Amino acid sequence: MEQRVFNFSAGPAGLPLAALQEAQRDLLVYPGAGASIMEISHRSKAFEPVLQSARDNITQLLNIPSNYKVLFLQGGASMQFSQIPMNFLRGTGKSADYILTGAWGAKAIKEAKKEGATRTVWSGKEEGYKRVPAQSELDLDANASYCHFTTNETIEGVQFQTEPEVGTVPLVCDMSSDFLSRTFDVTKYALIYAGAQKNIGPAGVVAVIIRDDMLAKVPDGLPSMLDYKLAADNDSMYNTPPCFAIYIVALVTKWLINDIGGLDKVDARNREKAKYIYDAIDNSDGYYRGHAQKDCRSLMNPTWRLPNEELEAKFVKEAKAASMDGLKGHRSVGGIRASIYNAMPVDGCKALAEFMAEFAKKNG
Ligand SMILES: *Cc1c(COP(=O)(O)O)cnc(C)c1O
């Protein structure tokens, strides 16, 4: 078999080997089903516990209270950019607050504007999306229908360390690129959504955690597939769910619980991983220049520049030759981005940090 590389892809991203191996083992015959999990009814005795375990694992990892529902939806995180304002902004006569810290937040605002009034309560755009705002910089509306932010801006590598304080306004969050990567308090949120393909599974499914009082606000007359209440009332099975993607989410979350040891351990491990890379940046005498302001650095997507674009291209090429792939930064930021989601082993970050030191010595 060909060797697997250290995969620094931004998404879809690496998956834990243990989960892939289990899926491979059970690919042709899922135990008790006599067929692949892809080949059986989503209403079968074999599949229902799979969805249930994906839900239970997420509930356990995040200690989610009983007044929240965990849903599995489709359409990517990008569909949530529309679904949220369709359910909670359209026709309310209120406006929605958006905190803008990067490219994904900008897309969320673009879709929300189609549904109603929005206010951008802080924007990092002029500064090139290098940081998140201080609480005192937020121009919040106490009467907003909700306040939306992006915990981790995947392209720029800028991450909130704690959630903004928004009083009684429902806090809504795109957690696509740092979901289940660190500990946080679910009860601060009204709605959390995350595309699976960064941290918890393959593309094709979005995890949504929604508080019951939000479900009660869902208006009548929405398209069925965009109605959170209908999804919740039908346990995410109003129509055929993305069975295989949910199955992989169940395996990845089981790995987080059993192999890594729960979210505290996941959190500590991800901090250790990111430290290797940020130390390599900070100890390079300015050869590597981090994009994000230090106190807003992402634990998931460190981004940095080299002295020039030629050296950046050389860095990416030589890293690839050394079995470290996917390091080219997004074209809007340039430079290097190392996406080091949950599945990236500590050894991958260690190897990259060593490569960085070597490369700077040779090409400095
Ligand atoms: C990847 C990503 C998205 C888009 O996800 P899709 O599933 O492709 O729609 C949205 N927000 C963030 C923060 C992301 O990282």
PDB file of all heavy atoms in Angstrom, residues 56-91:
ATOM      1  N   ASP A  56     -25.080  10.937  20.673  1.00  0.00           N
ATOM      2  CA  ASP A  56     -24.701  10.734  22.083  1.00  0.00           C
ATOM      3  C   ASP A  56     -23.246  11.111  22.331  1.00  0.00           C
ATOM      4  O   ASP A  56     -22.912  11.674  23.381  1.00  0.00           O
ATOM      5  CB  ASP A  56     -24.919   9.273  22.492  1.00  0.00           C
ATOM      6  CG  ASP A  56     -26.394   8.924  22.587  1.00  0.00           C
ATOM      7  OD1 ASP A  56     -27.237   9.841  22.530  1.00  0.00           O
ATOM      8  OD2 ASP A  56     -26.704   7.722  22.705  1.00  0.00           O
ATOM      9  N   ASN A  57     -22.384  10.762  21.374  1.00  0.00           N
ATOM     10  CA  ASN A  57     -20.958  11.068  21.556  1.00  0.00           C
ATOM     11  C   ASN A  57     -20.728  12.581  21.619  1.00  0.00           C
ATOM     12  O   ASN A  57     -19.966  13.067  22.451  1.00  0.00           O
ATOM     13  CB  ASN A  57     -20.123  10.472  20.413  1.00  0.00           C
ATOM     14  CG  ASN A  57     -20.082   8.954  20.458  1.00  0.00           C
ATOM     15  OD1 ASN A  57     -20.453   8.342  21.452  1.00  0.00           O
ATOM     16  ND2 ASN A  57     -19.642   8.341  19.375  1.00  0.00           N
ATOM     17  N   ILE A  58     -21.389  13.312  20.729  1.00  0.00           N
ATOM     18  CA  ILE A  58     -21.237  14.774  20.725  1.00  0.00           C
ATOM     19  C   ILE A  58     -21.800  15.350  22.027  1.00  0.00           C
ATOM     20  O   ILE A  58     -21.202  16.224  22.657  1.00  0.00           O
ATOM     21  CB  ILE A  58     -21.920  15.388  19.484  1.00  0.00           C
ATOM     22  CG1 ILE A  58     -21.159  14.983  18.214  1.00  0.00           C
ATOM     23  CG2 ILE A  58     -22.010  16.913  19.592  1.00  0.00           C
ATOM     24  CD1 ILE A  58     -21.837  15.375  16.902  1.00  0.00           C
ATOM     25  N   THR A  59     -22.939  14.816  22.442  1.00  0.00           N
ATOM     26  CA  THR A  59     -23.569  15.272  23.689  1.00  0.00           C
ATOM     27  C   THR A  59     -22.647  15.036  24.882  1.00  0.00           C
ATOM     28  O   THR A  59     -22.471  15.906  25.739  1.00  0.00           O
ATOM     29  CB  THR A  59     -24.912  14.536  23.886  1.00  0.00           C
ATOM     30  OG1 THR A  59     -25.721  14.788  22.740  1.00  0.00           O
ATOM     31  CG2 THR A  59     -25.632  15.016  25.137  1.00  0.00           C
ATOM     32  N   GLN A  60     -22.035  13.874  24.885  1.00  0.00           N
ATOM     33  CA  GLN A  60     -21.123  13.518  25.984  1.00  0.00           C
ATOM     34  C   GLN A  60     -19.865  14.387  25.948  1.00  0.00           C
ATOM     35  O   GLN A  60     -19.442  14.935  26.978  1.00  0.00           O
ATOM     36  CB  GLN A  60     -20.750  12.033  25.852  1.00  0.00           C
ATOM     37  CG  GLN A  60     -19.818  11.555  26.954  1.00  0.00           C
ATOM     38  CD  GLN A  60     -19.375  10.104  26.744  1.00  0.00           C
ATOM     39  OE1 GLN A  60     -20.078   9.311  26.098  1.00  0.00           O
ATOM     40  NE2 GLN A  60     -18.219   9.750  27.275  1.00  0.00           N
ATOM     41  N   LEU A  61     -19.271  14.531  24.779  1.00  0.00           N
ATOM     42  CA  LEU A  61     -18.019  15.296  24.668  1.00  0.00           C
ATOM     43  C   LEU A  61     -18.209  16.742  25.132  1.00  0.00           C
ATOM     44  O   LEU A  61     -17.329  17.310  25.770  1.00  0.00           O
ATOM     45  CB  LEU A  61     -17.516  15.281  23.224  1.00  0.00           C
ATOM     46  CG  LEU A  61     -16.808  13.990  22.786  1.00  0.00           C
ATOM     47  CD1 LEU A  61     -16.797  13.863  21.259  1.00  0.00           C
ATOM     48  CD2 LEU A  61     -15.376  13.941  23.327  1.00  0.00           C
ATOM     49  N   LEU A  62     -19.374  17.311  24.804  1.00  0.00           N
ATOM     50  CA  LEU A  62     -19.595  18.735  25.097  1.00  0.00           C
ATOM     51  C   LEU A  62     -20.471  18.954  26.324  1.00  0.00           C
ATOM     52  O   LEU A  62     -20.750  20.090  26.678  1.00  0.00           O
ATOM     53  CB  LEU A  62     -20.233  19.423  23.883  1.00  0.00           C
ATOM     54  CG  LEU A  62     -19.302  19.604  22.685  1.00  0.00           C
ATOM     55  CD1 LEU A  62     -20.086  20.097  21.483  1.00  0.00           C
ATOM     56  CD2 LEU A  62     -18.188  20.588  23.020  1.00  0.00           C
ATOM     57  N   ASN A  63     -20.896  17.855  26.935  1.00  0.00           N
ATOM     58  CA  ASN A  63     -21.741  17.981  28.110  1.00  0.00           C
ATOM     59  C   ASN A  63     -22.974  18.845  27.802  1.00  0.00           C
ATOM     60  O   ASN A  63     -23.272  19.807  28.517  1.00  0.00           O
ATOM     61  CB  ASN A  63     -20.905  18.600  29.238  1.00  0.00           C
ATOM     62  CG  ASN A  63     -21.473  18.302  30.594  1.00  0.00           C
ATOM     63  OD1 ASN A  63     -22.390  17.478  30.710  1.00  0.00           O
ATOM     64  ND2 ASN A  63     -20.967  18.969  31.607  1.00  0.00           N
ATOM     65  N   ILE A  64     -23.675  18.500  26.737  1.00  0.00           N
ATOM     66  CA  ILE A  64     -24.784  19.325  26.251  1.00  0.00           C
ATOM     67  C   ILE A  64     -26.022  19.090  27.122  1.00  0.00           C
ATOM     68  O   ILE A  64     -26.459  17.948  27.288  1.00  0.00           O
ATOM     69  CB  ILE A  64     -25.113  18.983  24.773  1.00  0.00           C
ATOM     70  CG1 ILE A  64     -23.860  19.201  23.897  1.00  0.00           C
ATOM     71  CG2 ILE A  64     -26.273  19.833  24.260  1.00  0.00           C
ATOM     72  CD1 ILE A  64     -24.043  18.782  22.449  1.00  0.00           C
ATOM     73  N   PRO A  65     -26.592  20.143  27.675  1.00  0.00           N
ATOM     74  CA  PRO A  65     -27.788  19.975  28.514  1.00  0.00           C
ATOM     75  C   PRO A  65     -29.012  19.520  27.705  1.00  0.00           C
ATOM     76  O   PRO A  65     -29.025  19.611  26.474  1.00  0.00           O
ATOM     77  CB  PRO A  65     -28.038  21.373  29.085  1.00  0.00           C
ATOM     78  CG  PRO A  65     -26.864  22.201  28.733  1.00  0.00           C
ATOM     79  CD  PRO A  65     -26.173  21.555  27.589  1.00  0.00           C
ATOM     80  N   SER A  66     -30.046  19.079  28.412  1.00  0.00           N
ATOM     81  CA  SER A  66     -31.197  18.457  27.742  1.00  0.00           C
ATOM     82  C   SER A  66     -32.093  19.458  27.025  1.00  0.00           C
ATOM     83  O   SER A  66     -32.974  19.056  26.266  1.00  0.00           O
ATOM     84  CB  SER A  66     -32.024  17.667  28.755  1.00  0.00           C
ATOM     85  OG  SER A  66     -32.471  18.561  29.758  1.00  0.00           O
ATOM     86  N   ASN A  67     -31.886  20.757  27.232  1.00  0.00           N
ATOM     87  CA  ASN A  67     -32.708  21.729  26.486  1.00  0.00           C
ATOM     88  C   ASN A  67     -32.078  22.128  25.153  1.00  0.00           C
ATOM     89  O   ASN A  67     -32.379  23.174  24.594  1.00  0.00           O
ATOM     90  CB  ASN A  67     -32.982  22.978  27.337  1.00  0.00           C
ATOM     91  CG  ASN A  67     -31.718  23.721  27.731  1.00  0.00           C
ATOM     92  OD1 ASN A  67     -30.692  23.104  27.985  1.00  0.00           O
ATOM     93  ND2 ASN A  67     -31.787  25.034  27.761  1.00  0.00           N
ATOM     94  N   TYR A  68     -31.192  21.278  24.660  1.00  0.00           N
ATOM     95  CA  TYR A  68     -30.626  21.459  23.313  1.00  0.00           C
ATOM     96  C   TYR A  68     -30.882  20.196  22.499  1.00  0.00           C
ATOM     97  O   TYR A  68     -30.972  19.100  23.051  1.00  0.00           O
ATOM     98  CB  TYR A  68     -29.107  21.665  23.369  1.00  0.00           C
ATOM     99  CG  TYR A  68     -28.660  23.002  23.900  1.00  0.00           C
ATOM    100  CD1 TYR A  68     -28.631  23.253  25.272  1.00  0.00           C
ATOM    101  CD2 TYR A  68     -28.235  24.013  23.039  1.00  0.00           C
ATOM    102  CE1 TYR A  68     -28.206  24.471  25.771  1.00  0.00           C
ATOM    103  CE2 TYR A  68     -27.806  25.240  23.533  1.00  0.00           C
ATOM    104  CZ  TYR A  68     -27.796  25.464  24.892  1.00  0.00           C
ATOM    105  OH  TYR A  68     -27.369  26.665  25.382  1.00  0.00           O
ATOM    106  N   LYS A  69     -30.972  20.368  21.157  1.00  0.00           N
ATOM    107  CA  LYS A  69     -31.039  19.218  20.252  1.00  0.00           C
ATOM    108  C   LYS A  69     -29.781  19.206  19.396  1.00  0.00           C
ATOM    109  O   LYS A  69     -29.282  20.266  18.999  1.00  0.00           O
ATOM    110  CB  LYS A  69     -32.258  19.338  19.327  1.00  0.00           C
ATOM    111  CG  LYS A  69     -33.600  19.380  20.052  1.00  0.00           C
ATOM    112  CD  LYS A  69     -34.048  18.009  20.514  1.00  0.00           C
ATOM    113  CE  LYS A  69     -35.410  18.063  21.198  1.00  0.00           C
ATOM    114  NZ  LYS A  69     -35.417  18.843  22.461  1.00  0.00           N
ATOM    115  N   VAL A  70     -29.304  18.009  19.108  1.00  0.00           N
ATOM    116  CA  VAL A  70     -28.187  17.841  18.175  1.00  0.00           C
ATOM    117  C   VAL A  70     -28.758  17.319  16.868  1.00  0.00           C
ATOM    118  O   VAL A  70     -29.402  16.262  16.849  1.00  0.00           O
ATOM    119  CB  VAL A  70     -27.140  16.851  18.735  1.00  0.00           C
ATOM    120  CG1 VAL A  70     -26.001  16.658  17.727  1.00  0.00           C
ATOM    121  CG2 VAL A  70     -26.602  17.332  20.073  1.00  0.00           C
ATOM    122  N   LEU A  71     -28.555  18.064  15.791  1.00  0.00           N
ATOM    123  CA  LEU A  71     -29.106  17.700  14.485  1.00  0.00           C
ATOM    124  C   LEU A  71     -27.986  17.407  13.496  1.00  0.00           C
ATOM    125  O   LEU A  71     -26.883  17.950  13.606  1.00  0.00           O
ATOM    126  CB  LEU A  71     -29.962  18.850  13.929  1.00  0.00           C
ATOM    127  CG  LEU A  71     -31.031  19.442  14.833  1.00  0.00           C
ATOM    128  CD1 LEU A  71     -31.725  20.611  14.126  1.00  0.00           C
ATOM    129  CD2 LEU A  71     -32.051  18.370  15.225  1.00  0.00           C
ATOM    130  N   PHE A  72     -28.312  16.577  12.505  1.00  0.00           N
ATOM    131  CA  PHE A  72     -27.393  16.330  11.399  1.00  0.00           C
ATOM    132  C   PHE A  72     -28.082  16.759  10.110  1.00  0.00           C
ATOM    133  O   PHE A  72     -29.081  16.148   9.706  1.00  0.00           O
ATOM    134  CB  PHE A  72     -26.985  14.857  11.348  1.00  0.00           C
ATOM    135  CG  PHE A  72     -26.237  14.428  12.579  1.00  0.00           C
ATOM    136  CD1 PHE A  72     -26.856  13.654  13.556  1.00  0.00           C
ATOM    137  CD2 PHE A  72     -24.928  14.836  12.797  1.00  0.00           C
ATOM    138  CE1 PHE A  72     -26.187  13.290  14.714  1.00  0.00           C
ATOM    139  CE2 PHE A  72     -24.243  14.478  13.947  1.00  0.00           C
ATOM    140  CZ  PHE A  72     -24.873  13.704  14.912  1.00  0.00           C
ATOM    141  N   LEU A  73     -27.561  17.819   9.518  1.00  0.00           N
ATOM    142  CA  LEU A  73     -28.196  18.393   8.332  1.00  0.00           C
ATOM    143  C   LEU A  73     -27.251  18.329   7.139  1.00  0.00           C
ATOM    144  O   LEU A  73     -26.090  17.932   7.272  1.00  0.00           O
ATOM    145  CB  LEU A  73     -28.599  19.848   8.623  1.00  0.00           C
ATOM    146  CG  LEU A  73     -29.485  20.058   9.863  1.00  0.00           C
ATOM    147  CD1 LEU A  73     -29.828  21.529  10.037  1.00  0.00           C
ATOM    148  CD2 LEU A  73     -30.769  19.228   9.787  1.00  0.00           C
ATOM    149  N   GLN A  74     -27.770  18.739   5.998  1.00  0.00           N
ATOM    150  CA  GLN A  74     -26.946  18.732   4.777  1.00  0.00           C
ATOM    151  C   GLN A  74     -26.796  20.161   4.245  1.00  0.00           C
ATOM    152  O   GLN A  74     -27.262  21.115   4.835  1.00  0.00           O
ATOM    153  CB  GLN A  74     -27.576  17.799   3.745  1.00  0.00           C
ATOM    154  CG  GLN A  74     -27.671  16.366   4.275  1.00  0.00           C
ATOM    155  CD  GLN A  74     -28.017  15.354   3.199  1.00  0.00           C
ATOM    156  OE1 GLN A  74     -27.321  15.225   2.204  1.00  0.00           O
ATOM    157  NE2 GLN A  74     -29.100  14.636   3.415  1.00  0.00           N
ATOM    158  N   GLY A  75     -26.123  20.267   3.124  1.00  0.00           N
ATOM    159  CA  GLY A  75     -25.948  21.582   2.503  1.00  0.00           C
ATOM    160  C   GLY A  75     -24.706  22.320   2.974  1.00  0.00           C
ATOM    161  O   GLY A  75     -24.475  23.459   2.585  1.00  0.00           O
ATOM    162  N   GLY A  76     -23.915  21.681   3.809  1.00  0.00           N
ATOM    163  CA  GLY A  76     -22.679  22.302   4.280  1.00  0.00           C
ATOM    164  C   GLY A  76     -22.930  23.445   5.247  1.00  0.00           C
ATOM    165  O   GLY A  76     -24.072  23.866   5.467  1.00  0.00           O
ATOM    166  N   ALA A  77     -21.859  23.947   5.797  1.00  0.00           N
ATOM    167  CA  ALA A  77     -21.973  25.129   6.653  1.00  0.00           C
ATOM    168  C   ALA A  77     -22.548  26.281   5.843  1.00  0.00           C
ATOM    169  O   ALA A  77     -23.260  27.137   6.373  1.00  0.00           O
ATOM    170  CB  ALA A  77     -20.603  25.499   7.226  1.00  0.00           C
ATOM    171  N   SER A  78     -22.279  26.280   4.555  1.00  0.00           N
ATOM    172  CA  SER A  78     -22.760  27.372   3.687  1.00  0.00           C
ATOM    173  C   SER A  78     -24.284  27.441   3.654  1.00  0.00           C
ATOM    174  O   SER A  78     -24.846  28.523   3.519  1.00  0.00           O
ATOM    175  CB  SER A  78     -22.210  27.206   2.277  1.00  0.00           C
ATOM    176  OG  SER A  78     -20.804  27.233   2.311  1.00  0.00           O
ATOM    177  N   MET A  79     -24.952  26.309   3.750  1.00  0.00           N
ATOM    178  CA  MET A  79     -26.417  26.336   3.802  1.00  0.00           C
ATOM    179  C   MET A  79     -26.888  26.990   5.103  1.00  0.00           C
ATOM    180  O   MET A  79     -27.913  27.691   5.126  1.00  0.00           O
ATOM    181  CB  MET A  79     -26.980  24.916   3.707  1.00  0.00           C
ATOM    182  CG  MET A  79     -28.482  24.864   3.809  1.00  0.00           C
ATOM    183  SD  MET A  79     -29.255  25.079   2.222  1.00  0.00           S
ATOM    184  CE  MET A  79     -29.522  23.361   1.830  1.00  0.00           C
ATOM    185  N   GLN A  80     -26.130  26.803   6.168  1.00  0.00           N
ATOM    186  CA  GLN A  80     -26.493  27.431   7.439  1.00  0.00           C
ATOM    187  C   GLN A  80     -26.450  28.962   7.349  1.00  0.00           C
ATOM    188  O   GLN A  80     -27.198  29.645   8.038  1.00  0.00           O
ATOM    189  CB  GLN A  80     -25.569  26.942   8.569  1.00  0.00           C
ATOM    190  CG  GLN A  80     -25.712  25.454   8.870  1.00  0.00           C
ATOM    191  CD  GLN A  80     -27.129  25.100   9.238  1.00  0.00           C
ATOM    192  OE1 GLN A  80     -27.679  25.619  10.199  1.00  0.00           O
ATOM    193  NE2 GLN A  80     -27.752  24.233   8.449  1.00  0.00           N
ATOM    194  N   PHE A  81     -25.569  29.473   6.478  1.00  0.00           N
ATOM    195  CA  PHE A  81     -25.513  30.931   6.293  1.00  0.00           C
ATOM    196  C   PHE A  81     -26.896  31.473   5.897  1.00  0.00           C
ATOM    197  O   PHE A  81     -27.244  32.601   6.253  1.00  0.00           O
ATOM    198  CB  PHE A  81     -24.504  31.311   5.197  1.00  0.00           C
ATOM    199  CG  PHE A  81     -23.065  30.953   5.482  1.00  0.00           C
ATOM    200  CD1 PHE A  81     -22.138  30.928   4.445  1.00  0.00           C
ATOM    201  CD2 PHE A  81     -22.635  30.654   6.766  1.00  0.00           C
ATOM    202  CE1 PHE A  81     -20.806  30.616   4.687  1.00  0.00           C
ATOM    203  CE2 PHE A  81     -21.297  30.327   7.022  1.00  0.00           C
ATOM    204  CZ  PHE A  81     -20.390  30.309   5.966  1.00  0.00           C
ATOM    205  N   SER A  82     -27.659  30.666   5.151  1.00  0.00           N
ATOM    206  CA  SER A  82     -29.015  31.060   4.749  1.00  0.00           C
ATOM    207  C   SER A  82     -30.080  30.581   5.725  1.00  0.00           C
ATOM    208  O   SER A  82     -31.044  31.294   6.022  1.00  0.00           O
ATOM    209  CB  SER A  82     -29.343  30.484   3.363  1.00  0.00           C
ATOM    210  OG  SER A  82     -28.455  30.975   2.398  1.00  0.00           O
ATOM    211  N   GLN A  83     -29.909  29.355   6.186  1.00  0.00           N
ATOM    212  CA  GLN A  83     -30.961  28.760   7.024  1.00  0.00           C
ATOM    213  C   GLN A  83     -31.155  29.543   8.323  1.00  0.00           C
ATOM    214  O   GLN A  83     -32.299  29.726   8.783  1.00  0.00           O
ATOM    215  CB  GLN A  83     -30.622  27.286   7.324  1.00  0.00           C
ATOM    216  CG  GLN A  83     -31.770  26.552   8.025  1.00  0.00           C
ATOM    217  CD  GLN A  83     -31.577  25.044   8.072  1.00  0.00           C
ATOM    218  OE1 GLN A  83     -30.627  24.507   7.512  1.00  0.00           O
ATOM    219  NE2 GLN A  83     -32.480  24.353   8.756  1.00  0.00           N
ATOM    220  N   ILE A  84     -30.080  30.011   8.896  1.00  0.00           N
ATOM    221  CA  ILE A  84     -30.182  30.768  10.158  1.00  0.00           C
ATOM    222  C   ILE A  84     -31.042  32.026   9.978  1.00  0.00           C
ATOM    223  O   ILE A  84     -32.022  32.206  10.705  1.00  0.00           O
ATOM    224  CB  ILE A  84     -28.776  31.064  10.722  1.00  0.00           C
ATOM    225  CG1 ILE A  84     -28.182  29.761  11.266  1.00  0.00           C
ATOM    226  CG2 ILE A  84     -28.817  32.134  11.810  1.00  0.00           C
ATOM    227  CD1 ILE A  84     -26.683  29.781  11.414  1.00  0.00           C
ATOM    228  N   PRO A  85     -30.710  32.901   9.010  1.00  0.00           N
ATOM    229  CA  PRO A  85     -31.568  34.086   8.857  1.00  0.00           C
ATOM    230  C   PRO A  85     -32.973  33.762   8.343  1.00  0.00           C
ATOM    231  O   PRO A  85     -33.920  34.494   8.659  1.00  0.00           O
ATOM    232  CB  PRO A  85     -30.796  34.973   7.877  1.00  0.00           C
ATOM    233  CG  PRO A  85     -29.846  34.061   7.180  1.00  0.00           C
ATOM    234  CD  PRO A  85     -29.509  32.984   8.157  1.00  0.00           C
ATOM    235  N   MET A  86     -33.142  32.681   7.601  1.00  0.00           N
ATOM    236  CA  MET A  86     -34.505  32.308   7.177  1.00  0.00           C
ATOM    237  C   MET A  86     -35.368  31.965   8.386  1.00  0.00           C
ATOM    238  O   MET A  86     -36.544  32.297   8.443  1.00  0.00           O
ATOM    239  CB  MET A  86     -34.465  31.095   6.228  1.00  0.00           C
ATOM    240  CG  MET A  86     -33.979  31.423   4.838  1.00  0.00           C
ATOM    241  SD  MET A  86     -33.733  29.928   3.866  1.00  0.00           S
ATOM    242  CE  MET A  86     -35.270  29.877   2.988  1.00  0.00           C
ATOM    243  N   ASN A  87     -34.781  31.298   9.354  1.00  0.00           N
ATOM    244  CA  ASN A  87     -35.526  30.861  10.527  1.00  0.00           C
ATOM    245  C   ASN A  87     -35.658  31.949  11.589  1.00  0.00           C
ATOM    246  O   ASN A  87     -36.650  31.977  12.316  1.00  0.00           O
ATOM    247  CB  ASN A  87     -34.855  29.628  11.167  1.00  0.00           C
ATOM    248  CG  ASN A  87     -35.194  28.323  10.463  1.00  0.00           C
ATOM    249  OD1 ASN A  87     -36.010  27.549  10.928  1.00  0.00           O
ATOM    250  ND2 ASN A  87     -34.572  28.089   9.301  1.00  0.00           N
ATOM    251  N   PHE A  88     -34.648  32.820  11.701  1.00  0.00           N
ATOM    252  CA  PHE A  88     -34.597  33.703  12.873  1.00  0.00           C
ATOM    253  C   PHE A  88     -34.508  35.193  12.573  1.00  0.00           C
ATOM    254  O   PHE A  88     -34.468  35.996  13.491  1.00  0.00           O
ATOM    255  CB  PHE A  88     -33.435  33.292  13.788  1.00  0.00           C
ATOM    256  CG  PHE A  88     -33.489  31.844  14.175  1.00  0.00           C
ATOM    257  CD1 PHE A  88     -32.463  30.975  13.832  1.00  0.00           C
ATOM    258  CD2 PHE A  88     -34.596  31.340  14.843  1.00  0.00           C
ATOM    259  CE1 PHE A  88     -32.535  29.624  14.166  1.00  0.00           C
ATOM    260  CE2 PHE A  88     -34.676  29.999  15.180  1.00  0.00           C
ATOM    261  CZ  PHE A  88     -33.648  29.131  14.837  1.00  0.00           C
ATOM    262  N   LEU A  89     -34.477  35.564  11.288  1.00  0.00           N
ATOM    263  CA  LEU A  89     -34.396  36.986  10.960  1.00  0.00           C
ATOM    264  C   LEU A  89     -35.578  37.429  10.099  1.00  0.00           C
ATOM    265  O   LEU A  89     -36.252  38.422  10.411  1.00  0.00           O
ATOM    266  CB  LEU A  89     -33.064  37.266  10.232  1.00  0.00           C
ATOM    267  CG  LEU A  89     -32.848  38.708   9.773  1.00  0.00           C
ATOM    268  CD1 LEU A  89     -32.901  39.681  10.945  1.00  0.00           C
ATOM    269  CD2 LEU A  89     -31.505  38.831   9.038  1.00  0.00           C
ATOM    270  N   ARG A  90     -35.839  36.662   9.055  1.00  0.00           N
ATOM    271  CA  ARG A  90     -36.904  36.981   8.107  1.00  0.00           C
ATOM    272  C   ARG A  90     -38.214  37.284   8.844  1.00  0.00           C
ATOM    273  O   ARG A  90     -38.649  36.496   9.683  1.00  0.00           O
ATOM    274  CB  ARG A  90     -37.115  35.745   7.212  1.00  0.00           C
ATOM    275  CG  ARG A  90     -37.967  36.000   6.007  1.00  0.00           C
ATOM    276  CD  ARG A  90     -38.374  34.665   5.388  1.00  0.00           C
ATOM    277  NE  ARG A  90     -37.452  34.216   4.353  1.00  0.00           N
ATOM    278  CZ  ARG A  90     -37.708  33.167   3.565  1.00  0.00           C
ATOM    279  NH1 ARG A  90     -38.803  32.455   3.724  1.00  0.00           N
ATOM    280  NH2 ARG A  90     -36.857  32.831   2.638  1.00  0.00           N
ATOM    281  N   GLY A  91     -38.778  38.442   8.546  1.00  0.00           N
ATOM    282  CA  GLY A  91     -40.099  38.764   9.084  1.00  0.00           C
ATOM    283  C   GLY A  91     -40.137  39.134  10.556  1.00  0.00           C
ATOM    284  O   GLY A  91     -41.211  39.326  11.120  1.00  0.00           O
TER     285      GLY A  91
END
